[in-house]
Amino acid sequence: MAYIDYYKILGVDKSATQDDIKKAYRKLARKLHPDLNPDDKESERKFKELNEANEVLSNAENRAKYDKYGEHWKHGDEYEKAQQQQQQQRQYQQQDYGGGFSGADFGEGEDFSDFFQNMFGGTGGFGKSSRGRASGKFKGQDVQAELNLNLRDAAITHPQTFEINGKKVRITIPAGVYDGQKIKLKGHGNPGVNGGPSGDLYITFNIPVDPDFERIGDDLKTKVSIDLYTAVLGGDVKVNTLNGSVNLKVKPETQSGLTVRLKGKGFPVYKKDGEHGDLFVTYEVKLPTNLTEKQKELFEQLKNS
């Protein structure tokens, strides 16, 4: 796997705070979102890299692993576990148990992936010793998986089935999950060694930036355009929510940039049925264009009145 500098993709340095990373991600996501760049393969590629970088660096645990292991950050736990197992096996050998796997040290010409192949699926193994005594039981490798959801899917509780290592896994995703959130399914990882327990399955949710709504915790922000006449005289405007559209009363003399709150129209609160955040709607007043001479005269009258 080629090394990808996630800090460079986000345009931040290694000392960046979580807030710096969040701001950089949002700025670039709006610029590179596929909905804003249709049929642009390069933007699509960069958007995927951006989401991958954000997944890692916005999560403190993932970021620490990335800083320590680089492109092998996802296998950091397996690496530490492998070292522990290797040490235990050496102890067995020192006790004259015999057998086991030898030559598993990182030597010249042996790379990271070769080591794990030998350790977990190759010829090394932890078989029975020459004296017929079984070596220790070890927990299987944990498995990391990613699940992509759009904002609207993340707002509803629904079942999802996917395949891991040839096995189908069915889970129910609760409404309100957030980008970068990780859940653990105990015992759904790789099989254990010598009858040991299976590893666990960790699923990380990826929720890209939505073109209509900005999510801040359980609240949502959106913008709606109103014409000058509605802004001055008042009226109604249709506002989209996650659950359809609602009519919103616009007060007379509404200023561009004014924000109003729709209580309970935001995002569902994770694992709290019936609870929702709020929706904040910002008005953008759209000025008229292509005015007729008569209309210009009316504006002049208003100006001079």
Side-chain angles (χ1 to χ4, degrees), residues 34 52 105 156 186 197 234 295:
E52 182 179 337
D105 293 327
I156 56 175
K186 189 174 181 180
Q295 289 171 327

Side-chain angles (χ1 to χ4, degrees), residues 80-96:
E80 296 290 353
K81 187 185 298 181
Q83 287 187 318
Q84 293 173 6
Q85 292 176 341
Q86 183 182 358
Q87 180 62 31
Q88 289 172 328
Q89 181 63 17
R90 284 182 181 144
Q91 292 173 359
Y92 296 147
Q93 291 174 344
Q94 289 171 0
Q95 294 170 7
D96 197 26

Side-chain angles (χ1 to χ4, degrees), residues 36 45 57 59 76 93 95 136 162 165 168 203 247 302:
L36 301 178
R45 180 187 66 80
L57 299 186
N59 181 289
Q93 291 174 344
Q95 294 170 7
F162 54 97
N165 292 339
K168 286 189 175 181
I203 301 174
N247 286 324
L302 288 172

Side-chain angles (χ1 to χ4, degrees), residues 237-248 265:
V237 64
K238 185 174 289 187
V239 178
N240 291 325
T241 74
L242 287 178
N243 300 312
S245 60
V246 296
N247 286 324
L248 189 61
K265 293 296 184 180

Side-chain angles (χ1 to χ4, degrees), residues 7 16 24 63 84 86 149 155 162 164 212 214 238 250 258 261 305:
Y7 290 101
R63 183 177 180 181
Q84 293 173 6
Q86 183 182 358
L149 298 173
F162 54 97
I164 296 291
D212 299 320
E214 178 184 358
K238 185 174 289 187
V250 181
L258 176 69
R261 182 179 73 165
S305 62

Side-chain angles (χ1 to χ4, degrees), residues 45-222:
R45 180 187 66 80
K46 289 182 178 180
F47 186 71
K48 289 180 180 178
E49 286 186 348
L50 180 67
N51 278 311
E52 182 179 337
N54 180 64
E55 174 205 341
V56 177
L57 299 186
S58 65
N59 181 289
E61 181 182 352
N62 289 347
R63 183 177 180 181
K65 290 179 182 179
Y66 175 74
D67 289 342
K68 185 175 182 180
Y69 300 110
E71 69 266 35
H72 301 300
W73 71 272
K74 289 186 178 181
H75 304 291
D77 292 337
E78 287 88 339
Y79 173 70
E80 296 290 353
K81 187 185 298 181
Q83 287 187 318
Q84 293 173 6
Q85 292 176 341
Q86 183 182 358
Q87 180 62 31
Q88 289 172 328
Q89 181 63 17
R90 284 182 181 144
Q91 292 173 359
Y92 296 147
Q93 291 174 344
Q94 289 171 0
Q95 294 170 7
D96 197 26
Y97 283 179
F101 71 93
S102 60
D105 293 327
F106 288 101
E108 292 292 335
E110 183 176 21
D111 62 20
F112 190 90
S113 58
D114 291 336
F115 172 76
F116 279 103
Q117 181 180 4
N118 290 335
M119 187 147 193
F120 296 111
T123 58
F126 286 103
K128 290 185 178 180
S129 68
S130 57
R131 297 185 181 184
R133 300 178 63 177
S135 58
K137 297 179 180 180
F138 298 98
K139 181 182 177 182
Q141 286 178 279
D142 293 336
V143 174
Q144 304 284 341
E146 297 177 2
L147 192 57
N148 295 318
L149 298 173
N150 61 45
L151 190 68
R152 288 162 177 78
D153 285 339
I156 56 175
T157 299
H158 65 283
Q160 185 103 13
T161 302
F162 54 97
E163 191 170 294
I164 296 291
N165 292 339
K167 296 181 180 178
K168 286 189 175 181
V169 178
R170 180 183 174 88
I171 63 173
T172 297
I173 302 175
V177 294
Y178 55 86
D179 182 49
Q181 183 174 355
K182 180 180 289 189
I183 62 173
K184 180 175 97 170
L185 299 181
K186 189 174 181 180
H188 282 75
N190 288 338
V193 178
N194 291 327
S198 296
D200 302 322
L201 170 62
Y202 290 88
I203 301 174
T204 300
F205 295 105
N206 293 329
I207 305 174
V209 173
D210 188 87
D212 299 320
F213 300 100
E214 178 184 358
R215 182 181 178 184
I216 303 176
D218 297 319
D219 295 330
L220 294 173
K221 293 175 64 177
T222 190

Side-chain angles (χ1 to χ4, degrees), residues 219-288:
D219 295 330
L220 294 173
K221 293 175 64 177
T222 190
K223 296 178 180 179
V224 62
S225 294
I226 58 175
D227 58 48
L228 178 63
Y229 315 108
T230 301
V232 173
L233 303 174
D236 295 328
V237 64
K238 185 174 289 187
V239 178
N240 291 325
T241 74
L242 287 178
N243 300 312
S245 60
V246 296
N247 286 324
L248 189 61
K249 288 286 185 182
V250 181
K251 294 181 179 180
E253 301 181 8
T254 291
Q255 300 295 311
S256 185
L258 176 69
T259 298
V260 296
R261 182 179 73 165
L262 300 184
K263 191 174 181 180
K265 293 296 184 180
F267 212 74
V269 180
Y270 183 65
K271 288 192 174 180
K272 291 186 178 181
D273 291 342
E275 293 190 28
H276 292 74
D278 300 327
L279 174 62
F280 292 85
V281 181
T282 300
Y283 293 121
E284 292 184 334
V285 178
K286 186 177 180 181
L287 298 179

